[in-house]
Amino acid sequence: MQTTTAKKPFYYGWVVVLGCSIVIGASTGLITNCAGIFIKPVTESLNVSRGAFTLYNTMSSIASICTIMLWGELFRRYPARKLMLLGSLILSACIFGYSFATKLWHFYVIGALYGCFSTTTAGLGIATVINNWFLSRKALATGLAWAGCGVSAAIMTPIATRVVELYGWRMGYRLMAGTGLFLYLTAILFFIRESPAQRGLLPLGAEQSTKDLKTWQPTGLTRAQTVKTPAYWAFTLGLTLVSFIGMGMTPHIIAYLTDIGYSSATASSVQAAVMWALVLAEVVLGAVFDRVGPVYTSLLTGLSLLLSVLLLLFAGSSPLMPWLFAFVYGFGYATLSVPIAYLVGENFGTREFSAVYSLCTMPSGIGGALGSPFSGMVFDTTGGYLTVWLIYLALSVVCTLALTFAAARCAREGYKYR
């Protein structure tokens, strides 16, 4: 007698992941990862220093920090798709607005407005949607979603670089704005649904403990409980350093490589290679993190950044070194995205995920805000990036220790299951 095994139906959450990937590609991929394209042409056109220009990123990050707690509450009360749609329209208008800037303060004002809405299409918005849909395979889902920022940046870096060379940086910003808006609307309108309950489903993995959609409840610490734990403070220190190092390096890679003798074409190709490596890294790390758990995830996060900084220090020693750096930093840069949402849920649970996530990432936003201008200002002072890379090397060690301690403490106390 033949027996048949029932085939599990396709889980719609993976369609949501695709939509999240497109959204992240439009936001982090086009705007953050391609920001280095504009540093030299804009500073030369407006006759300003690199440190002064990259402060617009600081303005954006500060605005994001000031509003993330508000967005955490809004995402608890209102549909995620509506908030993401609102954010996408305003963010695209901001990027288009950069193309009309004639003074440095124009970038600061527009950057601040951009920061107020930036978390709706990355960070909190995406993390909330994915955590609504996934309990198991959450890191893989997060990795697949964040892979979109590598794909879009890898494709658009050489295209935008060429457009800037031929038509100027203003046209480059307009290209980014139009492309981003198209991707936003496609993903949010056609792919993303904020909750599995909208389709009569449970989060993936919830079926292991219950079959009843009405009785299932998430577990973990509340925001008030989280802030009282030593693990929270160590975790936020680690996240802050991850953001500080990552955002301090990425916008300056192209400028640094051209400063040490590589052509702009080679430098932009290396940046594109970082993004392609990032695509691989997001998926690989997501799958690995699901298997090894939060402690080893924290350790791998810190070590990936440390090795990336070390290779960048020796980028000028051999023509092959920038390409080796590009591959390794793809994994290092992935630590700014995949581990954060995963570790928040694994360390502190999902009972009040959006509130706890905003609480943990608000300090890290400060690190991201300071990283790029810090690198620019040290460059302006010393005439090179060597001092910056040495500082980041030391901070990578501290980052690794802080994240690993936090994960170990959370696992021992069992915060995730309370």
Side-chain angles (χ1 to χ4, degrees), residues 257-330:
L257 292 177
T258 54
D259 285 347
I260 62 175
Y262 294 100
S263 67
S264 59
T266 299
S268 63
S269 296
V270 170
Q271 181 82 336
V274 170
M275 296 305 118
W276 283 119
L278 175 64
V279 175
L280 174 65
E282 303 277 18
V283 179
V284 170
L285 291 181
V288 170
F289 292 166
D290 277 328
R291 292 180 177 273
V292 303
V295 176
Y296 286 110
T297 292
S298 301
L299 184 62
L300 288 172
T301 296
L303 292 179
S304 295
L305 271 182
L306 191 152
L307 183 57
S308 298
V309 179
L310 190 63
L311 288 172
L312 193 59
L313 271 168
F314 296 97
S317 63
S318 167
L320 296 177
M321 195 60 70
W323 302 103
L324 179 59
F325 159 77
F327 177 77
V328 173
Y329 188 52

Side-chain angles (χ1 to χ4, degrees), residues 1-120:
M1 181 176 179
Q2 291 182 339
T3 59
T4 59
T5 301
K7 186 177 181 180
K8 290 185 178 180
F10 176 76
Y11 187 61
Y12 188 81
W14 298 112
V15 176
V16 175
V17 169
L18 173 61
C20 290
S21 183
I22 296 173
V23 168
I24 292 174
S27 56
T28 305
L30 295 184
I31 307 310
T32 303
N33 293 347
C34 294
I37 296 170
F38 297 94
I39 290 180
K40 275 195 171 183
V42 174
T43 55
E44 292 173 359
S45 173
L46 300 184
N47 194 28
V48 296
S49 69
R50 295 181 189 180
F53 171 65
T54 53
L55 275 174
Y56 85 93
N57 284 323
T58 303
M59 304 299 179
S60 180
S61 297
I62 290 174
S64 179
I65 294 166
C66 293
T67 57
I68 192 170
M69 297 295 288
L70 172 62
W71 286 114
E73 292 300 317
L74 291 175
F75 271 92
R76 292 175 62 189
R77 300 181 182 184
Y78 300 101
R81 289 178 72 223
K82 292 183 178 179
L83 297 176
M84 294 172 73
L85 183 60
L86 171 65
S88 67
L89 295 174
I90 294 177
L91 296 176
S92 299
C94 288
I95 302 307
F96 192 75
Y98 285 145
S99 69
F100 295 97
T102 57
K103 303 291 183 181
L104 191 58
W105 67 267
H106 295 166
F107 280 93
Y108 294 167
V109 172
I110 297 173
L113 178 61
Y114 184 94
C116 288
F117 291 85
S118 62
T119 195
T120 61

Side-chain angles (χ1 to χ4, degrees), residues 323-400:
W323 302 103
L324 179 59
F325 159 77
F327 177 77
V328 173
Y329 188 52
F331 285 80
Y333 193 46
T335 62
L336 274 71
S337 52
V338 179
I340 296 177
Y342 170 74
L343 287 174
V344 169
E346 289 298 301
N347 286 346
F348 304 107
T350 58
R351 182 178 176 185
E352 292 187 0
F353 178 82
S354 61
V356 174
Y357 180 90
S358 61
L359 181 70
C360 292
T361 56
M362 185 170 62
S364 73
I366 298 174
L370 297 177
S372 182
F374 173 80
S375 298
M377 290 176 181
V378 173
F379 171 87
D380 293 336
T381 302
T382 64
Y385 287 100
L386 177 61
T387 302
V388 181
W389 306 150
L390 290 175
I391 292 173
Y392 289 163
L393 191 66
L395 292 179
S396 296
V397 176
V398 179
C399 166
T400 304

